Every structure is written in C-alpha cells, then in structure tokens.
Amino acid sequence: MTEKLTLRVEKSFSAISPDSWSALSGTRRGGEVAYNPFLSHAFLSALEESGSATAKTGWLGHHLLLEDADGRLLAAVPGYLKSHSQGEYVFDHGWADAFERAGGRYYPKIQCAIPFTPATGPRLLTRSGMERAAWQQTLAAGLAEVTRQTGVSSAHVTFLPEAEVEAFEEAGFLHRTDQQFHFLNKGYANHEAFLAELSSSKRKNLRKERRAALEGGLSIDWLTGRDLTEDIWDQFFAFYMDTGSRKWGRPYLNRRFYSLIGERMAEDILLVMAKRDGRYVAGAINFIGEEALFGRHWGCIEDHPFLHFEVCYHQAIDFALEKGLARVEAGAQGEHKLARGYLPITTHSAHYIAHPGLRRAVADYLDQERRQVEYTGEVLTEHSPFRKGERQDHD
C-alpha cells in the first residue's frame, strides 16, 4: 500500500518545530549531508523573529513541506513570497522589467533561498532514507504546481547544489549558472604552505599586503562562542550599518537578528575583528559549517589600506586551515579575490517561469549566459596566482 503524503505551504517558520526541522539534510552536524548553518532552525527563525525577513520587508514565508499521514515532516523547501528582488544575489531585475513593460505582472514571485545569503546549500531538504530521491522529485514537482496554483509569475531556487539541478529540470525549471570565488584547502599545513603553491611574485605581493594591512598598530582577534557578548554585537552592528548604508543604501539585517543568532548558534559564528588603540574599528562575520567557512559581510568605522582583504580573506583562510575546513566561501562576486587564492566556482539556480513567452525569452538568455559563465571561469582560472602546472578543481 502506497503511503499517503501531503504537500502544504507554511507561512510562519516559527510554526515548524526545531526537532522536525533538524531531522532534515544539512540542518545539523553529523548527518548524511554536511551541516550548513544557514539551513539551521536557529538561523532561519532568527530572520523571521527579528523582523528582518517578514511580509513587511517583502519576505513572506512560503515554506513547502512534505508530510506523511501522521503529520511527520519528511522533506521541505525553505521559501518566501517576494514583492521585490532585493537581497537575493541572483539578479532577475531585467526579467521583471521586460515582463512588466509587456503588460505582465512579475511580482509577487516565489523565492526559495536563504534571505540575504549567497551561499550554496541543499534546497530539497529531506530526512535520511531510501526515499530521499523520490521525496526530492515530489518537492520539485510540487513547487512548480504551487507556482501555477498560486498564480504568481515564477519560482526561483537559488544557490542550490549541482546535484539537485536535475530534479528541478525534470519538473520544468530552467537551469542558470553564475560564479563565485572559493578558497579550496588542499591539505595545507598553514598559510605559508598555501603561499608556497603560488607564483613567486604573487606570494611576495600577498605577504607585503598582509604586513601593510596591520600597520598603524592594528591587530586581529577571532571571536566566537562566549566571546560574542551584546557589547561585541553592538560594535559589530555599528560597522555593518556604516558600511552597509553606503553599499546598499539600507542594510537588510537589524540589531535584534544578531542578538538572536548570538543566543542560538554562537559556536557556529566567527567574528574577525580589527583593533586599534584598544578599540575595534572593523570586523567581518563568518559562519562555520561542517566542511566550510562562509564569509558574509564586513564593516568598518575607520579606513585602512588592505584591511578589508586581511579581515575578510586572509584571516578566513587562516581559520579554515587551523580548523581543517575544506574550503572558504567568500560570498558573491569579486574578481579581486582571485589574486588572494580564491578560485572561480560555478554556482547554480533553477527557475520556473509560468508564462510561455517569458519562459522562452529567459531560456534563450540562460543558454547564452551559461556559455559565458563557463568561458569566464576558464579564463580566470588561467590567471590564478598558482604556479604554472598547479591546477585546482573549479567546478
């Protein structure tokens, strides 16, 4: 007898129990899929409870849940009903403008992603077991059906693993690629061992850059766990607001968000803080996964040459090597990361476009874009700082 399964949409993440959620792939340490801190109940609930990702900010919960006859959560896709395209890092503004100029209505749309977080991680979350593949197919097909039934223009699944692309393509989604820059740990004993793999000129430049970054009496602290006091969050939030206001106009995250993640997942957080004359003047927040360190945003209240590179990239490599992490994911864009040992990595997204005309136009665009992303990755890899003959995987 076939088990009866139910798909439903849950608008409030707080209505999903932490125990049910933590049984899904990628949401906890020690599971079948490496732990991704952005998929944790602690992180996602903090976004909602703080007011950072709510209907008021254009992120209305639209989480797709697959349950058995007893209401047990078997699988899920974290999602939101969006009234804009801000805070996503996979840009579809051009699609929206073209569709609305043609008389269509692009918003609202469904966005399956971690708000404000350009980090790859599972999107078809399932319990472990032999049924995982079938549940993933059900979720992907169910998301397409929800899109049609809701009457929205589209559904977008961003920063998903390449292994999940096929399930979405079978459900009628279009495949899109983009590029980030990641540091890949090849078992280096320390930062000097990594530098030894670079060309002589690049190695000298980076050593010089690191020395210059800390001139003027600057020093670096790593803060995690109990170090993350409310006073520290106050200081870091000041950096975030100062730099974020200039970079984005309106920072996405509020002060309460930082208090909540500090309470719930402090051991998964690393603040790299720069100090001068006894006070912190800059800092970057990173999240610690089972295999990767995820760099997010940085801020400062004083400008110092090369300090951004030291705090965000060099220190992240130091930490990853010390903790034995396989890679550092340094966030969206940034070809300047290449010279610092971060290599081009292909990222993936999937897009269900309900309107046939818009779908055809987007499909044509994505065919060209995928070829361009592949070509750009090859060119950038050829210009990596590694010695000729040294090649690292970039897919």
Side-chain angles (χ1 to χ4, degrees):
M1 182 175 178
T2 303
E3 182 181 19
K4 182 180 179 181
L5 304 180
T6 301
L7 272 171
R8 69 179 181 88
V9 171
E10 176 56 65
K11 294 184 178 181
S12 173
F13 192 81
S14 62
I16 305 171
S17 77
D19 288 344
S20 294
W21 189 260
S22 65
L24 303 181
S25 54
T27 62
R28 70 190 187 285
R29 295 184 183 274
E32 281 188 35
V33 177
Y35 170 64
N36 184 309
F38 304 121
L39 292 172
S40 68
H41 195 279
F43 188 86
L44 289 168
S45 63
L47 285 170
E48 180 179 281
E49 290 179 36
S50 67
S52 298
T54 63
K56 186 176 180 180
T57 61
W59 293 81
L60 174 63
H62 210 75
H63 312 294
L64 185 62
L65 310 182
L66 179 66
E67 299 170 331
D68 65 15
D70 296 323
R72 184 176 67 129
L73 182 62
L74 303 177
V77 179
Y80 299 84
L81 200 61
K82 289 291 303 297
S83 59
H84 53 71
S85 291
Q86 304 301 316
E88 298 169 3
Y89 303 92
V90 176
F91 302 109
D92 63 345
H93 302 91
W95 305 356
D97 291 344
F99 192 49
E100 294 188 356
R101 284 199 305 269
R105 183 186 178 195
Y106 195 75
Y107 302 107
K109 64 175 185 175
I110 296 173
Q111 187 74 28
C112 297
I114 309 302
F116 325 121
T117 308
T120 293
R123 297 296 178 258
L124 298 171
L125 312 182
T126 65
R127 286 179 176 264
S128 60
M130 296 179 63
E131 302 90 344
R132 285 192 65 205
W135 291 340
Q136 288 183 334
Q137 292 172 347
T138 299
L139 283 174
L143 182 58
E145 181 61 26
V146 166
T147 304
R148 292 189 294 267
Q149 290 185 1
T150 306
V152 298
S153 70
S154 51
H156 308 264
V157 187
T158 49
F159 298 103
L160 69 156
E162 186 176 8
E164 293 184 359
V165 170
E166 183 177 355
F168 283 107
E169 287 185 320
E170 290 177 352
F173 285 71
L174 302 174
H175 179 204
R176 188 177 194 182
T177 58
D178 202 348
Q179 206 162 71
Q180 288 185 347
F181 293 85
H182 298 176
F183 168 77
L184 306 178
N185 182 3
K186 297 298 183 178
Y188 304 118
N190 50 42
H191 205 115
E192 282 299 310
F194 153 63
L195 290 178
E197 299 298 318
L198 306 186
S199 67
S200 176
S201 62
K202 297 295 185 182
R203 182 165 59 248
K204 290 177 181 178
N205 287 342
L206 291 187
R207 285 174 175 156
K208 182 179 179 181
E209 178 176 279
R210 296 201 72 177
R211 288 194 299 269
L214 299 182
E215 289 178 352
L218 285 158
S219 62
I220 301 293
D221 289 339
W222 290 352
L223 306 181
T224 189
R226 293 182 180 179
D227 302 327
L228 303 178
T229 64
E230 286 297 293
D231 177 60
I232 291 296
W233 284 125
D234 283 340
Q235 294 178 66
F236 179 76
F237 189 66
F239 307 156
Y240 172 68
M241 290 297 291
D242 183 84
T243 301
S245 296
R246 285 185 276 112
K247 185 175 182 180
W248 306 305
R250 180 181 60 81
Y252 298 124
L253 301 167
N254 59 30
R255 176 63 182 82
R256 177 157 169 71
F257 169 78
Y258 292 100
S259 289
L260 290 174
I261 60 172
E263 292 170 6
R264 299 173 181 180
M265 54 188 304
E267 299 299 329
D268 293 336
I269 298 170
L270 168 70
L271 288 185
V272 177
M273 301 284 275
K275 182 182 289 184
R276 188 180 68 83
D277 293 337
R279 70 167 188 148
Y280 289 122
V281 298
I285 188 169
N286 304 264
F287 289 81
I288 308 166
E290 200 160 0
E291 296 180 346
L293 182 70
F294 300 93
R296 284 303 303 111
H297 42 267
W298 110 297
C300 64
I301 54 174
E302 292 184 3
D303 291 324
H304 295 272
F306 307 113
L307 186 60
H308 171 254
F309 300 140
E310 177 65 26
V311 169
C312 295
Y313 308 134
H314 300 310
Q315 289 289 326
I317 291 175
D318 286 345
F319 184 87
L321 295 180
E322 180 174 308
K323 302 301 181 182
L325 298 174
R327 64 189 184 278
V328 178
E329 297 194 15
Q333 289 102 33
E335 292 184 7
H336 58 277
K337 299 167 187 171
L338 185 69
R340 292 157 183 92
Y342 289 74
L343 293 176
I345 301 293
T346 301
T347 59
H348 303 270
S349 58
H351 307 266
Y352 185 85
I353 311 295
H355 189 277
L358 180 61
R359 178 186 172 85
R360 285 193 298 271
V362 169
D364 289 343
Y365 170 78
L366 294 182
D367 284 342
Q368 299 176 46
E369 186 183 50
R370 285 194 300 272
R371 290 193 291 269
Q372 183 61 42
V373 168
E374 182 178 7
Y375 172 75
T376 301
E378 292 171 354
V379 171
L380 289 171
T381 299
E382 286 300 315
H383 289 83
S384 81
F386 290 88
R387 296 195 307 264
K388 296 303 180 184
E390 293 289 337
R391 288 291 180 265
Q392 300 194 20
D393 297 336
H394 63 278
D395 291 324

